[in-house]
Amino acid sequence: MSESHPFSPPSFFRDPYPTYHRMRAERPVYWDEELGEWVLTRYLDVAAALRDARFSSDRTTAFMAGVPEELREAMIPFARMRANLMPLTDAPRHTRLRAPIEKAFAKGIVDARRAHAQGLVERAIDAAVQRGRLDLMNDLAFPLAAETIDALLGVPPADHDRIQGWAIDFERALAGGVPTVEALRAADAALFGLAGYLRGLVAERQAAPQNDLIGALVAAEGDGDALAGDELVGTCLVLLFANEGTTPTLLTLGMLALLRHPEQARRLRDDPTLIRAATDEMMRYDGPTQMLWRVTAGAVTFDGVTIPAGQRVNLVLGAANRDPARFPAPDRFDPARADKRHLGFGFGIHGCVGSALARMEAEIAIEALLRRLPGLRVAIPDDELDWHRTMGLRQLNALPLVWQ
Ligand code: HEM
């Protein structure tokens, strides 16, 4: 991306909202020549696109079209693997992939992880008290999210670093515009490394039942709608990836919003029952997933502008969540706000399956931090915060905190 693009300067990663406000006011539906995509920023348009089947989630055909000719043949297994990743599929395939996971989450697997998550949080704070400092992102949020999803799925903790290595290689390889040959080879290797590992976990559970999510999905084999081998592996992969960057960020940016609004932090500490409503406002005000992509399966018209079929569309959730036409005084962080219908977890058939898990972790951690570390504040000035430069995902590389 060129330096003159509005999504490029460091100031955009620090605070993207002035840019979003400008785009929404000046050209809410526009073709971005440089990114080769349409960009939508109004709440109503983004919400409409999320529930409109003409906005397809199957980005594989478009992705393969960008793959250099000489690699296309070799990338076919990669494309097949993508067909098992539920965020990249449309109905009816999507319905089939999603049903067993929805069923599993409805069975209380999130509540069953609550005590474990509480223990992890209390121990991370104990260690921080001993050290006298806490990097919220790396000392608490990342390990909490990783250990919770591992325990839920049934991934041995000792294997986590290996898994994270593959996930990082994969994301790094595909970050940026049209992938290079080397990037595609690296992404391919990472994805197949991880898939091979997960296949091993599935095989173990086929040999001997286990009481975890992979075990439950394996045990459902034989049901009419149970997932077959590669579908199961694809689903585990999605659950690991979908959690990795997002859940730690909800906790970190949520806490940052509270520390920038000390009167709200005090209210929450005095009345922890407000945490549920506060989490929704954190998601609206500065949520992890800022952008989602779709491809038009047919021509669609918004406000007299027609988006032709086969075009990539960027749905800017972060801009929709600050749309003044939907949320009065949208730049105000107000945990008591009555309207909770933000789009931070998406909306429609692809709406987040794991939102209850992410909320549970953020709520437990924020309640404990406010209770145990009085006078908590950010240890460095605002302009020294280190923002990750990833399109579509908002993330801090670290959040150093101090307390009295
Ligand atoms: C704060 C944390 C999280 C945020 C902000 C978030 C955000 C989102 C968003 C915006 C979508 C919609 C994607 C789309 O429409 O293309 C989504 C889907 C999804 N999320 Fe999350 N997510 C979070 C945590 C989690 C966790 C913890 C899990 C799993 C344990 C998870 C699993 C999924 C899955 C499987 C989908 C795909 C659903 C589908 O395609 O039908 N997410 N998430």
Side-chain angles (χ1 to χ4, degrees), residues 50 57 59 85-89 94 98 101 105 149 152 235 238-240 242-243 246-251 283 287-289 292-294 317 343-347 349-355 357-359 361:
L50 286 172
S57 285
R59 272 113 55 208
L85 307 183
M86 110 185 63
L88 302 180
T89 55
H94 169 260
R98 181 164 167 130
I101 283 294
F105 271 83
I149 193 78
L152 185 131
T235 296
V238 164
L239 292 170
L240 284 166
N243 169 68
T246 52
T247 307
T249 292
L250 166 58
L251 164 51
M283 285 293 302
T289 309
L292 290 178
W293 283 268
R294 297 290 191 261
L317 305 182
L343 301 176
F345 285 119
F347 182 60
I349 62 162
H350 288 278
C352 184
V353 202
S355 59
L357 184 66
R359 281 168 189 281
E361 291 172 38

Side-chain angles (χ1 to χ4, degrees), residues 304-348:
V305 182
T306 297
I307 304 180
Q311 307 245 301
R312 198 168 62 183
V313 185
N314 180 348
L315 308 175
V316 188
L317 305 182
N321 285 337
R322 296 268 192 127
D323 184 344
R326 171 75 204 205
F327 301 102
D331 295 329
R332 206 174 73 218
F333 176 65
D334 177 9
R337 193 180 284 277
D339 188 347
K340 305 292 181 212
R341 296 198 59 186
H342 61 79
L343 301 176
F345 285 119
F347 182 60

